Amino acid sequence: MSKVVPGRFSAQIDESFVVFLIGMRVNNIWAVNKWLPTAQAMGPMLNVLHQYSEKGFLGQESFFRLFPITTVMITYWKSFEHLEYFARNADDPHLKPWREFNRSIGNDGSVGIWHETYLIPAGQSESIYANMPVFGLAAATTHIPAVGKKETARRRLGGNNTPAVPS
């Protein structure tokens, strides 16, 4: 378990980046021959991404729900181009399992997979971590104290400390 860092912290990233959420849901618990290979495919991908920083992967957090069995991974990338190249490059460990999933599972309903991609322009993100281990975007980039210009969500987004009235 990661060490808790007492206090308030934020993530520092000055460039645009990508948040890519990906997950799997076991729809038929008895179809182990279908969902287990799908689940096992992620390990080799993460090993390569952690080993080769030039692939543009910044980091990830993973979550698991028991019923129904569901995984969620939040990943951070330097750019959409890095993410897409990794997904489509035959020399990387994603394309083969993706093709195998489509061949062996396709639309049979036994296993669900999903992803969501968010392109975050520079200066358009904010984060706060209070009494947390180094986590999420701060673990993928730079973990900094949330003081001064980083003290409030509005300030972290570059504004003054006066809330705007919604229209």
Side-chain angles (χ1 to χ4, degrees):
M1 194 155 107
S2 300
K3 181 181 176 227
V4 170
V5 181
R8 290 170 42 91
F9 293 83
S10 187
Q12 178 70 43
I13 182 166
D14 297 323
E15 302 85 30
S16 297
F17 64 98
V18 171
V19 177
F20 181 70
L21 309 177
I22 186 166
M24 176 191 84
R25 183 178 191 272
V26 175
N27 297 324
N28 180 349
I29 192 73
W30 306 115
V32 176
N33 63 325
K34 299 216 175 186
W35 60 260
L36 188 58
T38 303
Q40 290 174 327
M42 189 57 73
M45 290 182 219
L46 289 172
N47 289 340
V48 166
L49 290 169
H50 283 288
Q51 188 174 356
Y52 298 101
S53 62
E54 66 272 15
K55 295 195 179 292
F57 180 75
L58 299 172
Q60 102 283 336
E61 297 290 345
S62 300
F63 302 91
F64 177 81
R65 178 174 64 194
L66 188 56
F67 186 78
I69 295 173
T70 304
T71 64
V72 176
M73 184 177 298
I74 304 168
T75 66
Y76 304 95
W77 295 77
K78 288 182 181 178
S79 70
F80 178 74
E81 290 74 21
H82 282 98
L83 170 62
E84 183 180 41
Y85 187 78
F86 180 78
R88 295 175 179 246
N89 181 13
D91 294 331
D92 282 322
H94 173 269
L95 192 58
K96 184 178 177 187
W98 173 242
R99 287 179 174 159
E100 180 59 25
F101 176 89
N102 286 319
R103 186 193 65 72
S104 67
I105 297 167
N107 295 326
D108 75 7
S110 61
V111 181
I113 57 171
W114 62 276
H115 79 252
E116 299 174 1
T117 307
Y118 301 95
L119 311 178
I120 313 297
Q124 297 297 301
S125 68
E126 72 85 19
S127 57
I128 191 71
Y129 310 94
N131 304 318
M132 289 283 296
V134 178
F135 182 84
L137 184 60
T141 58
T142 304
H143 186 250
I144 63 168
V147 296
K149 291 182 180 179
K150 297 291 184 180
E151 195 170 356
T152 68
R154 179 168 292 283
R155 286 184 189 167
R156 288 188 293 276
L157 288 169
N160 61 35
N161 208 28
T162 306
V165 177
S167 49

